[in-house]
Amino acid sequence: QVQLVQSGSELKKPGASVKVSCKASGYTFTSYAMNWVRQAPGQGLEWMGWINTNTGNPTYAQGFTGRFVFSLDTSVSTAYLQISSLKAEDTAVYYCARVGTGTTPYDAFDIWGQGTMVTVSS
Amino acid sequence: EIVMTQSPATLSVSPGERATLSCRASQSVSSNLAWYQQKPGQAPRLLIYGASTRATGIPARFSGSGSGTEFTLTISSLQSEDFAVYYCQQYNNWPAFGGGTKVEIK
């Protein structure tokens, strides 16, 4: 079936980096845009941006430029989120989410990964 | 940037009763509006897209309406499994979520 499976929880120290993976299965990976969404503890959903799985071109939402990098490995149908220079305020659950149709973010997110908890603490 | 505002923040409803959730956009998003349900410890689940179309497998008690800047999610008869947080999202422009409405047991 169509699913997104993310990598496991991470505990990192401030200043470190983390790379979260999102492996797709059950559909043609390059036919649907992939989004990243952050949810801080007890808070709502925040769209971080998206990556065109056809071209590999990333687009970052306001507030997610500089330390955040979206990438792909289409050979294994996997999207990645890397965060560098981690801060305590990066502590959150990070979700990947597929757009329902097409290779742009202009549609509902029909398939979600299970989420990856990233904790930043000294 | 389009801002999405949901109301109320918390809705207390008895099982079997009707729940009405509101979502307002700061500018028109046409019908490019989705609703999601999120339960504790789980990823969000798509309920409604295109403002009023139920996603695959979503029960008929969930319905969406509205266009432009005003939208409503109605749950006709709340079941125990419906107590959760609900988010609206516009995708007419760069995607943006509302702050959520928590539906709790009265």
Side-chain angles (χ1 to χ4, degrees), chain A residues 6-21 36-42 48 64 67-68 80-96 114-122:
Chain A
Q6 298 185 225
S7 49
S9 299
E10 301 269 8
L11 174 60
K12 295 291 185 180
K13 295 190 184 301
S17 295
V18 69
K19 193 169 187 177
V20 175
S21 66
W36 289 94
V37 176
R38 182 171 77 177
Q39 187 169 39
M48 301 173 64
F64 294 99
R67 297 188 300 116
F68 300 83
Y80 300 94
L81 163 66
Q82 183 162 358
I83 312 171
S84 59
S85 303
L86 283 162
K87 307 174 183 180
E89 50 264 43
D90 295 323
T91 295
V93 176
Y94 293 85
Y95 294 100
C96 57
Q114 82 276 22
T116 296
M117 180 71 210
V118 175
T119 302
V120 184
S121 174
S122 54

Side-chain angles (χ1 to χ4, degrees), chain B residues 58-79:
Chain B
I58 302 304
R61 65 180 181 272
F62 291 92
S63 62
S65 63
S67 66
T69 61
E70 300 283 343
F71 300 89
T72 300
L73 175 69
T74 301
I75 311 171
S76 59
S77 175
L78 271 158
Q79 306 298 301

Side-chain angles (χ1 to χ4, degrees), chain A residues 22-62:
Chain A
C22 169
K23 184 171 177 58
S25 61
Y27 72 96
T28 302
F29 181 68
T30 52
S31 294
Y32 299 84
M34 190 70 76
N35 295 266
W36 289 94
V37 176
R38 182 171 77 177
Q39 187 169 39
Q43 303 301 308
L45 303 171
E46 188 175 17
W47 182 67
M48 301 173 64
W50 71 289
I51 186 164
N52 185 319
T53 54
N54 215 16
T55 65
N57 185 48
T59 299
Y60 302 97
Q62 206 168 2

